[in-house]
Amino acid sequence: MEIHTPTGQAEIPGDLQRALIQVLLVSEGRAVPGETLVEEMWGDSAPDNQVNALQAHVSRLRRRLRALEPERTTSRLTTHPSGYRLAVESGELDAEAFVQKVREAETLLPGHPERAAGLLRRALGMWRGPVFGHFPGGSACRLAGARYEEHRLRAMELLFDAELGAGRHAQILAELNEAHISNPLRERFCEQLMIALYRSGRQADALDAYRRMWRRLSDEIGVLPSPSLRSVEHAILSHDPELAPGGDLRIFQSA
């Protein structure tokens, strides 16, 4: 987690203060109940006077934030009947900006795959590693981290769709293979890899990727490939013209 101010990068010292601001940030402007903050900060080791302890940390964080923005006339951290709220303006939280870029790219993708690919690469370039790094926080922050990670994987899927739509199948083979290996049960990466291999004249490798995926799904979670993954295999075997550059790959995606 990093906080950037007009005068440079700022730090929030202490694990408890860091946990507090993290859970307030991932709530994206919504009030967070005090019980949730206590659980996030202390877990099973909450002090007996947890209400007073929480109020003390809130006051300390409020003073720290006020010192970072001396020109601000209202406090970012406010108390509400339902808990505490951290005001975050549009464009200030990088996670929110990332999600907005992905949504914009998804809208662009059908008619402008090159522009969508560029926007998605800029969005994915915002990532530096796991959410919150080596300080994942409590359950609320971990759930938020999982949510943002799913957005990241979706952005990668959209990026590969955009690059395939732009006819750049050969250029993304290495990236696709890495994504598939890193997420071995995510079928969409396998589908995209198969299409890219097929378009690159490697039909046997595309079918081999399908067979490996079929065995993995069967052995590890006891399921069959999805209808969309099976449809890609069938399209490769039948040399479906929609697999060629310029074809409508949306017919191979499940709803």
Side-chain angles (χ1 to χ4, degrees):
M1 183 185 67
E2 294 179 354
I3 299 176
H4 296 270
T5 74
T7 57
Q9 186 171 323
E11 298 292 335
I12 300 295
D15 288 352
L16 291 174
Q17 289 280 290
R18 185 182 176 106
L20 174 59
I21 195 169
Q22 282 186 181
V23 71
L24 288 167
L25 282 170
V26 299
S27 300
E28 297 183 0
R30 296 183 297 273
V32 184
E35 296 84 353
T36 300
L37 295 175
V38 168
E39 172 64 26
E40 200 73 8
M41 294 170 67
W42 287 284
D44 295 332
S45 303
D48 293 335
N49 58 341
Q50 55 187 246
V51 173
N52 291 336
L54 175 60
Q55 289 174 346
H57 279 284
V58 167
S59 297
R60 189 180 307 165
L61 179 59
R62 187 180 286 123
R63 289 194 299 271
R64 175 61 173 151
L65 294 175
R66 186 180 298 119
L68 295 176
E69 298 179 294
E71 74 288 350
R72 190 180 177 94
T73 57
T74 59
S75 177
R76 279 190 182 268
L77 182 50
T78 53
T79 305
H80 296 263
S82 55
Y84 296 92
R85 176 180 178 271
L86 182 67
V88 181
E89 309 300 335
S90 177
E92 290 185 331
L93 183 64
D94 61 346
E96 180 189 18
F98 169 77
V99 173
Q100 289 176 344
K101 282 183 171 64
V102 173
R103 288 172 177 163
E104 181 182 348
E106 190 167 12
T107 302
L108 282 172
L109 199 157
H112 305 280
E114 296 89 350
R115 289 172 57 191
L119 183 57
L120 286 162
R121 287 199 180 277
R122 290 193 296 275
L124 287 164
M126 297 172 68
W127 282 75
R128 301 185 302 271
V131 179
F132 298 131
H134 299 296
F135 194 87
S139 58
C141 285
R142 289 195 296 270
L143 286 171
R147 183 175 73 249
Y148 292 135
E149 175 65 11
E150 181 59 32
H151 281 302
R152 185 184 72 86
L153 292 173
R154 175 60 178 157
M156 291 176 65
E157 291 176 345
L158 291 170
L159 171 63
F160 296 138
D161 279 343
E163 298 286 24
L164 289 171
R168 295 196 283 255
H169 44 274
Q171 292 91 325
I172 61 170
L173 271 174
E175 288 179 278
L176 256 175
N177 192 53
E178 180 180 354
H180 176 50
I181 291 173
S182 300
N183 303 273
L185 297 178
R186 200 169 181 95
E187 293 182 70
R188 185 61 186 151
F189 288 145
C190 184
E191 295 170 19
Q192 293 168 319
L193 177 61
M194 291 166 63
I195 293 169
L197 287 167
Y198 177 79
R199 286 185 175 181
S200 301
R202 298 169 58 182
Q203 178 177 345
D205 290 336
L207 293 173
D208 186 55
Y210 173 80
R211 286 190 289 268
R212 291 197 307 270
M213 188 72 185
W214 188 93
R215 287 195 297 270
R216 186 175 295 114
L217 290 169
S218 176
D219 293 345
E220 295 188 21
I221 56 178
V223 300
L224 293 174
S226 66
S228 59
L229 184 56
R230 294 199 300 270
S231 71
V232 172
E233 184 223 15
H234 178 74
I236 290 173
L237 290 171
S238 61
H239 298 282
D240 191 319
E242 294 294 351
L243 285 178
D248 186 3
L249 299 181
R250 288 175 296 179
I251 65 174
F252 302 113
Q253 298 180 33
S254 57

